[in-house]
Amino acid sequence: MHNSDAMALSAALLAVAGDLTQRINDGVVARGFTDLRPAHGFAFARLAPEGATVTDLAVHLGVTKQAASQLVDEIVRKGYADRRPHPRDARARLIVLTERGWACTRAAEEAAAEVVEAWADLLGEGEVRALAERLARLAPQGPVRPAW
């Protein structure tokens, strides 16, 4: 592949990722969660399974512990997450989503499904499934980080 072709592919992937992020955010806002920005969604993705510490979140987002702590302060203040005692580390606090945080996460999932459905309308369901399989081979583990 020539350098110019590689750059064109890179640009297309970045454009699709940026458009996807914006459309999910727009869907979240349309569903009533108007006080968030895309970076919150990247944090929610890490918190969703079973919670995380501020340090875990900082590593996931690729930011300092101070920046992650500020983000946690904000989502706790807005009612999307709570701090709880960590079950295995008495010195740490576990950040977990509240029901409002889970509702926002479900809104993001619905918005993502709408975007992928539009892709399937354009490309066909088989092509979208194949695209998903190929992208998973290229980036199997994540984490997905925001573009600050």
Side-chain angles (χ1 to χ4, degrees):
M1 181 174 271
H2 296 287
N3 286 351
S4 59
D5 294 334
M7 284 303 296
L9 175 59
S10 299
L13 286 169
L14 290 169
V16 168
D19 181 64
L20 176 62
T21 300
Q22 186 59 55
R23 290 172 68 183
I24 291 172
N25 188 67
D26 291 347
V28 167
V29 169
R31 287 166 174 82
F33 300 95
T34 59
D35 57 346
L36 298 174
R37 54 187 199 281
H40 295 110
F42 289 100
F44 287 11
R46 177 60 183 91
L47 298 175
E50 56 207 25
T53 65
V54 169
T55 300
D56 296 334
L57 193 57
V59 169
H60 176 76
L61 296 173
V63 299
T64 64
K65 283 196 283 189
Q66 292 82 4
S69 183
Q70 289 176 347
L71 185 101
V72 167
D73 288 345
E74 183 180 0
I75 62 175
V76 166
R77 187 176 65 253
K78 292 179 178 184
Y80 291 99
D82 281 328
R83 291 180 179 91
R84 296 191 180 152
H86 195 287
R88 293 176 304 282
D89 183 351
R91 299 167 297 154
R93 302 288 286 168
L94 193 64
I95 314 306
V96 296
L97 294 178
T98 62
E99 182 49 45
R100 180 178 168 105
W102 282 109
C104 183
T105 299
R106 288 189 296 275
E109 289 172 351
E110 292 168 5
E114 290 172 358
V115 174
V116 173
E117 184 178 317
W119 292 351
D121 290 345
L122 181 66
L123 301 174
E125 200 167 310
E127 287 291 324
V128 172
R129 198 169 295 124
L131 175 63
E133 290 168 5
R134 289 179 179 108
L135 290 173
R137 285 188 0 224
L138 292 173
Q141 299 298 321
V144 177
R145 291 183 172 150
W148 302 95

